Amino acid sequence: MMTGGPDGDLGSNEIQCYKGKICLIIDGGSILFDPNGLDKEELMKIAFMRHTSPRADSLSFPVEKLSPEGFMVPRIAKNVKLPDGTLIEDASVFHRTFLTDISNRKYIEKANIQAFIPCGGFKDTINHTNVNEFLALFKELKYIVEGANVFFNDAARRHIATQTNIKEIT
């Protein structure tokens, strides 16, 4: 999974370089999820469009390329129904809390997400107050590759390093 999307330098480079499947992208446009993996060719097309105006982000992903369990929830949408029937009344709240809301576990466990590459997002998104919720949601996580931004604050990073078997690569 990755935060930051195909429209950013880090996200577009990650899409081009990553050899595994990408199941989850959270960027300024949407939450884009498919437990079977997002179509890499379509992600590459968007990544190569990052210098267009307006910028092409996850909203440019063709929803017809999602599996029946996949979904796109635009950040500014209202009343979005997910494939399992869950109604997202306010997508901005869903977007802001997706990484720490344990009710999203039903989606994450299907994807078996083992690596997280934060290529964008707000500083200290995961911190001492929500790190346990993040870890409960992403139980299969084995690697965090954090480089150019500070997605985890020091307390969260310390907790992950001392209380889990997740390897942090910086």
Side-chain angles (χ1 to χ4, degrees):
M1 81 169 161
M2 60 187 281
T3 56
D7 62 329
D9 288 338
L10 292 175
S12 63
N13 287 333
E14 185 58 38
I15 287 167
Q16 294 172 59
C17 297
Y18 191 64
K19 302 293 183 211
K21 69 179 181 175
I22 299 172
C23 297
L24 173 63
I25 293 178
I26 301 174
D27 68 2
S30 76
I31 293 177
L32 185 59
F33 174 78
D34 194 324
N36 300 312
L38 296 163
D39 185 291
K40 185 78 174 253
E41 187 175 313
E42 294 299 331
L43 290 176
M44 293 285 280
K45 287 178 188 176
I46 301 167
F48 289 132
M49 294 169 43
R50 74 179 180 272
H51 296 295
T52 62
S53 183
R55 292 175 79 155
D57 60 14
S58 63
L59 291 172
S60 300
F61 189 89
V63 293
E64 63 273 8
K65 296 283 186 160
L66 295 171
S67 77
E69 296 178 296
F71 57 80
M72 175 192 288
V73 179
R75 184 179 51 82
I76 60 172
K78 303 283 185 203
N79 300 317
V80 176
K81 190 178 255 186
L82 301 184
D84 69 355
T86 300
L87 179 66
I88 306 300
E89 293 179 8
D90 184 345
S92 65
V93 173
F94 185 68
H95 189 271
R96 187 172 54 253
T97 62
F98 188 87
L99 293 176
T100 56
D101 184 345
I102 196 64
S103 68
N104 295 322
R105 176 78 185 136
K106 60 189 172 187
Y107 309 117
I108 300 306
E109 68 186 342
K110 289 179 184 177
N112 191 29
I113 294 171
Q114 296 183 10
F116 175 33
I117 301 114
C119 297
F122 296 108
K123 183 177 188 280
D124 301 339
T125 297
I126 304 300
N127 53 60
H128 72 282
T129 61
N130 63 12
V131 67
N132 287 320
E133 289 83 359
F134 172 82
L135 293 171
L137 183 58
F138 294 96
K139 292 179 182 180
E140 296 81 10
L141 202 58
K142 293 180 180 178
Y143 303 97
I144 297 172
V145 183
E146 186 180 34
N149 62 354
V150 186
F151 195 81
F152 296 86
N153 77 356
D154 288 339
R157 197 174 290 107
R158 194 169 28 259
H159 180 80
I160 292 167
T162 61
Q163 303 299 313
T164 74
N165 290 323
I166 297 171
K167 308 255 186 287
E168 184 174 19
I169 302 165
T170 55

